[in-house]
Amino acid sequence: MRNFLLGGVCAFALMGSVALFAAPSKVGGLQANETYRQLNLFGEIFERVRNDYYKETKDEELMEHAINGMLSSLDPYSVYMPPRSFQEARVQTRGEFGGLGIEVTQENGLIKVVSPIDDTPAQKAGVLPGDLITHLDGDPVMGKSLQESIEKMRGAPNTNIVLTVRRGAADAAKNFDIKITRAVIKTRVVRARREGEFAYLRISSFNEHTTQDMAAAIDKLKAEIGPELKGYIIDLRDNPGGLLDQAISVSDSFLNQGEIVSTRALRPSTDDGQRYNAKRGDVADGKPMAVLINGGSASASEIVAGALQDHHRAVMVGSTTFGKGLVQTMIPLGEFGGMKLTTAGYFTPSGRSIDKVGISADVEAWNERDRQIAAALKERRQMTDTRQTEEDKADKQEPTQVTPPHQVPTPGQDGPDLVLQAALEVLRAPPKPTARK
């Protein structure tokens, strides 16, 4: 069974020193000939490396690196996973895994933090969305695949690892070490509390239990607040995403009708993709809603934000989201593990693709943490030649200095949460949510 995540096959067998390739079926003659030529070239290079490289090599490692090279050339999210890594990835979507508690991608050879997960060693140590990890225990990550770096960050509980982090825009970036103790990560993805006459729900990721846990939290708050309940605040800040079906069901929980999201492959040989529509039933009973977002809100959380924004169901408060508009599919490969492959792009109900663009807030509000994340995302978009508006250049979005990790407030925790305060003001005197066309 394939899991859809928000990160022609040719088979070959090696016999002795001869590479035998099974070409894809149903391929036109000219294209097949070119494919055979390229596969033969690969086989020749493979043999040269095996026989002539100055150090001894292992066939399994060479093949794994070749596969990873092919996948990493596609996008930052497609990756091959050996059996142990594939099993750990599947366990993670169930809500428990071992490691640091950090969602990462790869950018220009470095490891880029999408977001730390709530109440994990990474978050407690002060790791921020947008941080670039340059070394792991003093070993450079440059030249290694994303999966190799992920495996090094994982390990037995109560063991330590030192991350060398680069933070800030290029001309003011600072490097420093963060020592983190690994732990068994048991993800509590929904936290809820009363905020005056409003229900506040913090969703930190989308695993198999997210919708169920959210519904239970809403029922509890309804009973606690009673008839005084005036509206809902859904906090998706620093939410790196997760399972597509959970993003759809969370969105559906607050909508009575209409499209939630559509997915389609961006290639002419494929079909029109798939559309997901809401069913009748709003757990918030039509009460006003605000959704908190920032540059650490990615993928599945952007699906929720985009659906609620396009349907005028909620006001987006905070800052522009990460901009990951691609869907990954977990594909089992039997005894060889599996792969995570980008199989589609997703589009909000109004037809927007937010990849490398993000969801804009209806009401802008900033904590110092959000300014640092925005600066890192701005740098990312400049380096990848994506859009850069005059608003991006505004001085108000530039942090004047890099705050040490332990001094940066986490959403809903240390220090005044200016974004939450703005959301409360919006709900008490609500403007009309902005529809994006």
Side-chain angles (χ1 to χ4, degrees), residues 141-180:
V141 301
M142 187 71 72
K144 293 182 171 59
S145 70
L146 176 61
Q147 196 59 37
E148 286 176 311
S149 296
I150 289 174
E151 289 181 1
K152 185 158 186 174
M153 286 187 281
R154 292 173 177 164
N158 300 317
T159 59
N160 296 324
I161 185 171
V162 175
L163 310 186
T164 301
V165 170
R166 180 181 300 163
R167 179 175 297 166
D171 56 350
K174 293 189 177 181
N175 297 298
F176 52 90
D177 290 340
I178 301 178
K179 183 178 180 180
I180 306 179

mmCIF file of all heavy atoms in Angstrom, residues 141-180:
data_model
loop_
_atom_site.group_PDB
_atom_site.id
_atom_site.type_symbol
_atom_site.label_atom_id
_atom_site.label_comp_id
_atom_site.label_asym_id
_atom_site.label_seq_id
_atom_site.Cartn_x
_atom_site.Cartn_y
_atom_site.Cartn_z
ATOM 1 N N VAL A 141 28.407 17.618 5.596
ATOM 2 C CA VAL A 141 27.300 16.958 4.908
ATOM 3 C C VAL A 141 27.408 17.146 3.398
ATOM 4 O O VAL A 141 26.776 16.412 2.633
ATOM 5 C CB VAL A 141 25.936 17.485 5.399
ATOM 6 C CG1 VAL A 141 25.789 17.272 6.889
ATOM 7 C CG2 VAL A 141 25.759 18.962 5.053
ATOM 8 N N MET A 142 28.202 18.123 2.966
ATOM 9 C CA MET A 142 28.404 18.364 1.539
ATOM 10 C C MET A 142 28.974 17.109 0.883
ATOM 11 O O MET A 142 29.947 16.528 1.372
ATOM 12 C CB MET A 142 29.341 19.544 1.318
ATOM 13 C CG MET A 142 29.474 19.974 -0.140
ATOM 14 S SD MET A 142 28.010 20.771 -0.783
ATOM 15 C CE MET A 142 28.082 22.357 0.070
ATOM 16 N N GLY A 143 28.339 16.683 -0.201
ATOM 17 C CA GLY A 143 28.796 15.485 -0.889
ATOM 18 C C GLY A 143 28.069 14.234 -0.476
ATOM 19 O O GLY A 143 28.230 13.182 -1.107
ATOM 20 N N LYS A 144 27.261 14.314 0.568
ATOM 21 C CA LYS A 144 26.484 13.161 1.028
ATOM 22 C C LYS A 144 25.035 13.315 0.575
ATOM 23 O O LYS A 144 24.528 14.421 0.385
ATOM 24 C CB LYS A 144 26.533 13.027 2.553
ATOM 25 C CG LYS A 144 27.907 12.681 3.103
ATOM 26 C CD LYS A 144 27.853 12.527 4.623
ATOM 27 C CE LYS A 144 29.158 11.959 5.167
ATOM 28 N NZ LYS A 144 30.321 12.805 4.856
ATOM 29 N N SER A 145 24.360 12.188 0.413
ATOM 30 C CA SER A 145 22.946 12.240 0.060
ATOM 31 C C SER A 145 22.127 12.651 1.275
ATOM 32 O O SER A 145 22.585 12.558 2.424
ATOM 33 C CB SER A 145 22.465 10.874 -0.446
ATOM 34 O OG SER A 145 22.415 9.940 0.627
ATOM 35 N N LEU A 146 20.914 13.096 1.026
ATOM 36 C CA LEU A 146 20.020 13.475 2.119
ATOM 37 C C LEU A 146 19.793 12.295 3.048
ATOM 38 O O LEU A 146 19.819 12.438 4.282
ATOM 39 C CB LEU A 146 18.686 13.976 1.554
ATOM 40 C CG LEU A 146 17.602 14.327 2.571
ATOM 41 C CD1 LEU A 146 18.049 15.455 3.490
ATOM 42 C CD2 LEU A 146 16.306 14.700 1.854
ATOM 43 N N GLN A 147 19.593 11.108 2.474
ATOM 44 C CA GLN A 147 19.307 9.944 3.304
ATOM 45 C C GLN A 147 20.500 9.569 4.182
ATOM 46 O O GLN A 147 20.329 9.159 5.339
ATOM 47 C CB GLN A 147 18.903 8.753 2.421
ATOM 48 C CG GLN A 147 18.221 7.624 3.175
ATOM 49 C CD GLN A 147 16.962 8.081 3.883
ATOM 50 O OE1 GLN A 147 16.225 8.915 3.375
ATOM 51 N NE2 GLN A 147 16.723 7.551 5.063
ATOM 52 N N GLU A 148 21.709 9.721 3.660
ATOM 53 C CA GLU A 148 22.893 9.441 4.471
ATOM 54 C C GLU A 148 22.949 10.363 5.691
ATOM 55 O O GLU A 148 23.264 9.921 6.808
ATOM 56 C CB GLU A 148 24.157 9.617 3.629
ATOM 57 C CG GLU A 148 24.407 8.510 2.629
ATOM 58 C CD GLU A 148 25.619 8.787 1.755
ATOM 59 O OE1 GLU A 148 25.728 9.891 1.197
ATOM 60 O OE2 GLU A 148 26.465 7.888 1.629
ATOM 61 N N SER A 149 22.636 11.620 5.489
ATOM 62 C CA SER A 149 22.658 12.571 6.600
ATOM 63 C C SER A 149 21.550 12.267 7.601
ATOM 64 O O SER A 149 21.751 12.351 8.820
ATOM 65 C CB SER A 149 22.516 14.003 6.082
ATOM 66 O OG SER A 149 23.623 14.352 5.278
ATOM 67 N N ILE A 150 20.373 11.893 7.097
ATOM 68 C CA ILE A 150 19.271 11.550 7.991
ATOM 69 C C ILE A 150 19.635 10.348 8.852
ATOM 70 O O ILE A 150 19.385 10.319 10.063
ATOM 71 C CB ILE A 150 17.990 11.275 7.179
ATOM 72 C CG1 ILE A 150 17.455 12.582 6.585
ATOM 73 C CG2 ILE A 150 16.923 10.615 8.049
ATOM 74 C CD1 ILE A 150 16.283 12.402 5.656
ATOM 75 N N GLU A 151 20.234 9.344 8.241
ATOM 76 C CA GLU A 151 20.616 8.155 8.998
ATOM 77 C C GLU A 151 21.644 8.484 10.068
ATOM 78 O O GLU A 151 21.638 7.893 11.155
ATOM 79 C CB GLU A 151 21.146 7.082 8.040
ATOM 80 C CG GLU A 151 20.058 6.457 7.178
ATOM 81 C CD GLU A 151 20.602 5.374 6.260
ATOM 82 O OE1 GLU A 151 21.825 5.110 6.320
ATOM 83 O OE2 GLU A 151 19.812 4.806 5.500
ATOM 84 N N LYS A 152 22.531 9.433 9.782
ATOM 85 C CA LYS A 152 23.530 9.798 10.789
ATOM 86 C C LYS A 152 22.893 10.554 11.948
ATOM 87 O O LYS A 152 23.346 10.437 13.098
ATOM 88 C CB LYS A 152 24.635 10.645 10.153
ATOM 89 C CG LYS A 152 25.763 10.956 11.122
ATOM 90 C CD LYS A 152 27.046 11.307 10.414
ATOM 91 C CE LYS A 152 28.194 11.460 11.412
ATOM 92 N NZ LYS A 152 29.490 11.669 10.749
ATOM 93 N N MET A 153 21.844 11.321 11.666
ATOM 94 C CA MET A 153 21.168 12.038 12.744
ATOM 95 C C MET A 153 20.356 11.100 13.626
ATOM 96 O O MET A 153 20.119 11.389 14.795
ATOM 97 C CB MET A 153 20.278 13.145 12.170
ATOM 98 C CG MET A 153 21.066 14.341 11.658
ATOM 99 S SD MET A 153 20.037 15.742 11.160
ATOM 100 C CE MET A 153 19.481 15.195 9.553
ATOM 101 N N ARG A 154 19.928 9.979 13.083
ATOM 102 C CA ARG A 154 19.206 9.010 13.876
ATOM 103 C C ARG A 154 20.183 8.152 14.671
ATOM 104 O O ARG A 154 21.351 8.048 14.328
ATOM 105 C CB ARG A 154 18.332 8.134 12.986
ATOM 106 C CG ARG A 154 17.193 8.892 12.360
ATOM 107 C CD ARG A 154 16.452 8.059 11.357
ATOM 108 N NE ARG A 154 15.305 8.794 10.829
ATOM 109 C CZ ARG A 154 14.652 8.465 9.730
ATOM 110 N NH1 ARG A 154 15.026 7.425 9.028
ATOM 111 N NH2 ARG A 154 13.629 9.184 9.325
ATOM 112 N N GLY A 155 19.671 7.526 15.733
ATOM 113 C CA GLY A 155 20.541 6.680 16.538
ATOM 114 C C GLY A 155 19.859 6.266 17.818
ATOM 115 O O GLY A 155 18.681 6.573 18.051
ATOM 116 N N ALA A 156 20.593 5.562 18.644
ATOM 117 C CA ALA A 156 20.040 5.051 19.896
ATOM 118 C C ALA A 156 19.693 6.204 20.840
ATOM 119 O O ALA A 156 20.400 7.215 20.880
ATOM 120 C CB ALA A 156 21.035 4.114 20.562
ATOM 121 N N PRO A 157 18.611 6.078 21.598
ATOM 122 C CA PRO A 157 18.262 7.105 22.590
ATOM 123 C C PRO A 157 19.401 7.330 23.581
ATOM 124 O O PRO A 157 20.194 6.423 23.862
ATOM 125 C CB PRO A 157 17.031 6.522 23.289
ATOM 126 C CG PRO A 157 16.450 5.567 22.296
ATOM 127 C CD PRO A 157 17.623 4.987 21.550
ATOM 128 N N ASN A 158 19.495 8.576 24.056
ATOM 129 C CA ASN A 158 20.497 8.984 25.053
ATOM 130 C C ASN A 158 21.911 9.069 24.499
ATOM 131 O O ASN A 158 22.871 9.170 25.266
ATOM 132 C CB ASN A 158 20.475 8.069 26.278
ATOM 133 C CG ASN A 158 19.125 8.075 26.978
ATOM 134 O OD1 ASN A 158 18.523 9.133 27.160
ATOM 135 N ND2 ASN A 158 18.637 6.901 27.356
ATOM 136 N N THR A 159 22.060 9.023 23.180
ATOM 137 C CA THR A 159 23.360 9.294 22.569
ATOM 138 C C THR A 159 23.344 10.707 22.004
ATOM 139 O O THR A 159 22.293 11.246 21.649
ATOM 140 C CB THR A 159 23.677 8.287 21.450
ATOM 141 O OG1 THR A 159 22.656 8.364 20.434
ATOM 142 C CG2 THR A 159 23.728 6.879 22.004
ATOM 143 N N ASN A 160 24.511 11.316 21.914
ATOM 144 C CA ASN A 160 24.603 12.727 21.521
ATOM 145 C C ASN A 160 25.093 12.889 20.088
ATOM 146 O O ASN A 160 25.803 12.032 19.547
ATOM 147 C CB ASN A 160 25.565 13.477 22.457
ATOM 148 C CG ASN A 160 25.065 13.511 23.882
ATOM 149 O OD1 ASN A 160 23.856 13.614 24.123
ATOM 150 N ND2 ASN A 160 25.983 13.428 24.839
ATOM 151 N N ILE A 161 24.720 14.003 19.507
ATOM 152 C CA ILE A 161 25.229 14.400 18.201
ATOM 153 C C ILE A 161 25.362 15.924 18.203
ATOM 154 O O ILE A 161 24.575 16.624 18.851
ATOM 155 C CB ILE A 161 24.302 13.936 17.052
ATOM 156 C CG1 ILE A 161 24.931 14.269 15.690
ATOM 157 C CG2 ILE A 161 22.911 14.559 17.175
ATOM 158 C CD1 ILE A 161 24.187 13.643 14.512
ATOM 159 N N VAL A 162 26.384 16.419 17.506
ATOM 160 C CA VAL A 162 26.600 17.859 17.419
ATOM 161 C C VAL A 162 26.291 18.313 15.996
ATOM 162 O O VAL A 162 26.891 17.831 15.034
ATOM 163 C CB VAL A 162 28.044 18.239 17.791
ATOM 164 C CG1 VAL A 162 28.272 19.738 17.578
ATOM 165 C CG2 VAL A 162 28.341 17.854 19.233
ATOM 166 N N LEU A 163 25.331 19.235 15.879
ATOM 167 C CA LEU A 163 24.997 19.826 14.596
ATOM 168 C C LEU A 163 25.713 21.168 14.462
ATOM 169 O O LEU A 163 25.635 21.999 15.370
ATOM 170 C CB LEU A 163 23.493 20.070 14.466
ATOM 171 C CG LEU A 163 22.521 18.930 14.788
ATOM 172 C CD1 LEU A 163 21.094 19.361 14.455
ATOM 173 C CD2 LEU A 163 22.889 17.670 14.041
ATOM 174 N N THR A 164 26.410 21.372 13.364
ATOM 175 C CA THR A 164 26.952 22.692 13.057
ATOM 176 C C THR A 164 25.939 23.395 12.170
ATOM 177 O O THR A 164 25.614 22.914 11.083
ATOM 178 C CB THR A 164 28.312 22.596 12.353
ATOM 179 O OG1 THR A 164 29.224 21.885 13.195
ATOM 180 C CG2 THR A 164 28.864 23.983 12.072
ATOM 181 N N VAL A 165 25.427 24.530 12.661
ATOM 182 C CA VAL A 165 24.300 25.214 12.031
ATOM 183 C C VAL A 165 24.747 26.564 11.482
ATOM 184 O O VAL A 165 25.516 27.287 12.119
ATOM 185 C CB VAL A 165 23.158 25.403 13.056
ATOM 186 C CG1 VAL A 165 22.070 26.318 12.503
ATOM 187 C CG2 VAL A 165 22.574 24.047 13.438
ATOM 188 N N ARG A 166 24.263 26.889 10.289
ATOM 189 C CA ARG A 166 24.445 28.213 9.713
ATOM 190 C C ARG A 166 23.080 28.908 9.716
ATOM 191 O O ARG A 166 22.115 28.377 9.172
ATOM 192 C CB ARG A 166 24.984 28.118 8.296
ATOM 193 C CG ARG A 166 25.209 29.475 7.619
ATOM 194 C CD ARG A 166 25.736 29.279 6.203
ATOM 195 N NE ARG A 166 27.002 28.554 6.221
ATOM 196 C CZ ARG A 166 27.528 27.950 5.148
ATOM 197 N NH1 ARG A 166 26.885 27.992 3.997
ATOM 198 N NH2 ARG A 166 28.675 27.312 5.246
ATOM 199 N N ARG A 167 23.026 30.078 10.325
ATOM 200 C CA ARG A 167 21.743 30.773 10.469
ATOM 201 C C ARG A 167 21.872 32.212 9.989
ATOM 202 O O ARG A 167 22.848 32.877 10.261
ATOM 203 C CB ARG A 167 21.273 30.751 11.923
ATOM 204 C CG ARG A 167 19.950 31.474 12.167
ATOM 205 C CD ARG A 167 19.492 31.300 13.602
ATOM 206 N NE ARG A 167 19.228 29.904 13.896
ATOM 207 C CZ ARG A 167 19.078 29.416 15.131
ATOM 208 N NH1 ARG A 167 19.213 30.219 16.171
ATOM 209 N NH2 ARG A 167 18.826 28.144 15.311
ATOM 210 N N GLY A 168 20.837 32.665 9.261
ATOM 211 C CA GLY A 168 20.808 34.046 8.803
ATOM 212 C C GLY A 168 21.085 34.167 7.320
ATOM 213 O O GLY A 168 21.513 33.209 6.659
ATOM 214 N N ALA A 169 20.832 35.356 6.781
ATOM 215 C CA ALA A 169 21.105 35.630 5.373
ATOM 216 C C ALA A 169 22.600 35.536 5.106
ATOM 217 O O ALA A 169 23.426 35.657 6.015
ATOM 218 C CB ALA A 169 20.582 37.020 5.002
ATOM 219 N N ALA A 170 22.954 35.329 3.844
ATOM 220 C CA ALA A 170 24.342 35.024 3.479
ATOM 221 C C ALA A 170 25.333 36.058 3.978
ATOM 222 O O ALA A 170 26.415 35.718 4.469
ATOM 223 C CB ALA A 170 24.452 34.869 1.962
ATOM 224 N N ASP A 171 24.959 37.343 3.881
ATOM 225 C CA ASP A 171 25.912 38.382 4.253
ATOM 226 C C ASP A 171 26.014 38.580 5.761
ATOM 227 O O ASP A 171 26.870 39.320 6.241
ATOM 228 C CB ASP A 171 25.543 39.708 3.581
ATOM 229 C CG ASP A 171 24.117 40.150 3.911
ATOM 230 O OD1 ASP A 171 23.372 39.336 4.502
ATOM 231 O OD2 ASP A 171 23.758 41.290 3.580
ATOM 232 N N ALA A 172 25.123 37.935 6.514
ATOM 233 C CA ALA A 172 25.169 38.074 7.976
ATOM 234 C C ALA A 172 25.033 36.730 8.673
ATOM 235 O O ALA A 172 24.681 36.668 9.848
ATOM 236 C CB ALA A 172 24.065 39.031 8.446
ATOM 237 N N ALA A 173 25.321 35.651 7.957
ATOM 238 C CA ALA A 173 25.139 34.311 8.523
ATOM 239 C C ALA A 173 26.148 34.051 9.630
ATOM 240 O O ALA A 173 27.299 34.498 9.569
ATOM 241 C CB ALA A 173 25.287 33.263 7.422
ATOM 242 N N LYS A 174 25.701 33.324 10.635
ATOM 243 C CA LYS A 174 26.567 32.911 11.729
ATOM 244 C C LYS A 174 26.543 31.397 11.847
ATOM 245 O O LYS A 174 25.516 30.759 11.653
ATOM 246 C CB LYS A 174 26.118 33.556 13.039
ATOM 247 C CG LYS A 174 26.300 35.067 13.070
ATOM 248 C CD LYS A 174 26.046 35.629 14.457
ATOM 249 C CE LYS A 174 26.299 37.136 14.485
ATOM 250 N NZ LYS A 174 26.071 37.716 15.842
ATOM 251 N N ASN A 175 27.705 30.824 12.158
ATOM 252 C CA ASN A 175 27.830 29.391 12.346
ATOM 253 C C ASN A 175 28.057 29.085 13.823
ATOM 254 O O ASN A 175 28.832 29.783 14.489
ATOM 255 C CB ASN A 175 29.007 28.837 11.522
ATOM 256 C CG ASN A 175 28.790 29.016 10.030
ATOM 257 O OD1 ASN A 175 27.849 28.486 9.475
ATOM 258 N ND2 ASN A 175 29.653 29.784 9.386
ATOM 259 N N PHE A 176 27.390 28.063 14.309
ATOM 260 C CA PHE A 176 27.573 27.658 15.702
ATOM 261 C C PHE A 176 27.162 26.196 15.834
ATOM 262 O O PHE A 176 26.482 25.632 14.964
ATOM 263 C CB PHE A 176 26.751 28.533 16.651
ATOM 264 C CG PHE A 176 25.296 28.652 16.285
ATOM 265 C CD1 PHE A 176 24.363 27.757 16.764
ATOM 266 C CD2 PHE A 176 24.864 29.677 15.446
ATOM 267 C CE1 PHE A 176 23.033 27.850 16.423
ATOM 268 C CE2 PHE A 176 23.533 29.790 15.096
ATOM 269 C CZ PHE A 176 22.603 28.875 15.588
ATOM 270 N N ASP A 177 27.609 25.571 16.924
ATOM 271 C CA ASP A 177 27.302 24.170 17.191
ATOM 272 C C ASP A 177 26.134 24.044 18.156
ATOM 273 O O ASP A 177 26.002 24.837 19.093
ATOM 274 C CB ASP A 177 28.514 23.453 17.783
ATOM 275 C CG ASP A 177 29.642 23.262 16.775
ATOM 276 O OD1 ASP A 177 29.361 23.336 15.561
ATOM 277 O OD2 ASP A 177 30.792 23.058 17.206
ATOM 278 N N ILE A 178 25.298 23.032 17.921
ATOM 279 C CA ILE A 178 24.211 22.692 18.838
ATOM 280 C C ILE A 178 24.349 21.211 19.189
ATOM 281 O O ILE A 178 24.318 20.355 18.302
ATOM 282 C CB ILE A 178 22.829 22.945 18.222
ATOM 283 C CG1 ILE A 178 22.662 24.412 17.818
ATOM 284 C CG2 ILE A 178 21.721 22.555 19.200
ATOM 285 C CD1 ILE A 178 21.321 24.715 17.159
ATOM 286 N N LYS A 179 24.515 20.917 20.458
ATOM 287 C CA LYS A 179 24.608 19.531 20.915
ATOM 288 C C LYS A 179 23.215 19.038 21.286
ATOM 289 O O LYS A 179 22.499 19.676 22.068
ATOM 290 C CB LYS A 179 25.538 19.433 22.129
ATOM 291 C CG LYS A 179 25.751 18.003 22.630
ATOM 292 C CD LYS A 179 26.729 17.995 23.804
ATOM 293 C CE LYS A 179 26.965 16.580 24.322
ATOM 294 N NZ LYS A 179 27.906 16.570 25.467
ATOM 295 N N ILE A 180 22.825 17.902 20.728
ATOM 296 C CA ILE A 180 21.483 17.366 20.934
ATOM 297 C C ILE A 180 21.588 15.910 21.383
ATOM 298 O O ILE A 180 22.394 15.141 20.845
ATOM 299 C CB ILE A 180 20.635 17.451 19.656
ATOM 300 C CG1 ILE A 180 20.615 18.891 19.123
ATOM 301 C CG2 ILE A 180 19.217 16.969 19.906
ATOM 302 C CD1 ILE A 180 19.829 19.059 17.849
#
